[in-house]
């Protein structure tokens, strides 16, 4: 399964266009434009599984840096400040990584 099985390719493209400039990425805005914020819990779990590149059950800071590239291989890498802000917004238990439930809470907030 791929992200385009769950999200509209045109919505993904619009979300990526919105954050092309360095330091313009907003997780909440990206989730809204891409349509992720309207998805069910089971769909968000599947999206998380796809984004969890090493299948560890967590999205770590290294994976988060390449978040946009999981949607389109030519997309930019998140800046250090964007990555840290994204991680801080989702990492409720302070373990330095995002679990599936934390991801879902952030997307649906």
């Amino acid at each position: 399964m791929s992200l385009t099985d769950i999200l509209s390719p045109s919505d993904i493209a619009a979300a990526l266009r919105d954050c092309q400039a360095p330091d313009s990425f907003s997780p909440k805005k990206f989730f809204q434009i891409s349509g992720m914020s309207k998805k069910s819990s089971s769909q968000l779990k599947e999206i998380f599984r796809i984004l969890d590149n090493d299948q560890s059950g967590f999205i770590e800071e290294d994976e988060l840096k390449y978040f946009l590239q999981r949607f389109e291989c030519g997309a930019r890498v998140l800046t250090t400040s964007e990555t840290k802000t994204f991680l801080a917004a989702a990492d409720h238990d302070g373990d330095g990584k995002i679990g599936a439930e934390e991801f879902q809470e952030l997307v649906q907030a």
Side-chain angles (χ1 to χ4, degrees):
M1 183 173 280
S2 73
L3 289 168
T4 54
D5 292 330
I6 304 167
L7 302 170
S8 152
S10 61
D11 288 347
I12 290 172
L16 290 170
R17 270 194 310 276
D18 183 70
C19 61
Q20 279 182 325
D23 294 318
S24 66
F25 176 75
S26 162
K28 192 164 195 64
K29 193 171 181 188
F30 187 87
F31 298 148
Q32 289 170 343
I33 295 171
S34 68
M36 287 173 63
S37 57
K38 296 179 187 129
K39 297 302 174 186
S40 69
S41 295
S42 62
Q43 288 171 312
L44 289 176
K45 283 179 182 161
E46 185 59 28
I47 290 170
F48 178 85
R49 191 190 64 71
I50 294 167
L51 296 173
D52 178 15
N53 201 33
D54 63 4
Q55 299 300 300
S56 65
F58 296 95
I59 299 175
E60 292 89 2
E61 192 169 342
D62 281 352
E63 289 171 305
L64 212 50
K65 186 179 358 175
Y66 300 103
F67 178 80
L68 298 177
Q69 293 183 353
R70 301 297 290 153
F71 291 87
E72 181 182 281
C73 58
R76 71 177 181 88
V77 173
L78 293 180
T79 66
T80 301
S81 63
E82 288 172 320
T83 304
K84 292 195 180 304
T85 300
F86 193 172
L87 183 62
D91 182 19
H92 302 303
D93 61 9
D95 64 358
K97 51 193 175 187
I98 301 170
E101 287 180 16
E102 291 171 317
F103 179 75
Q104 191 170 325
E105 286 173 24
L106 181 66
V107 173
Q108 294 178 326

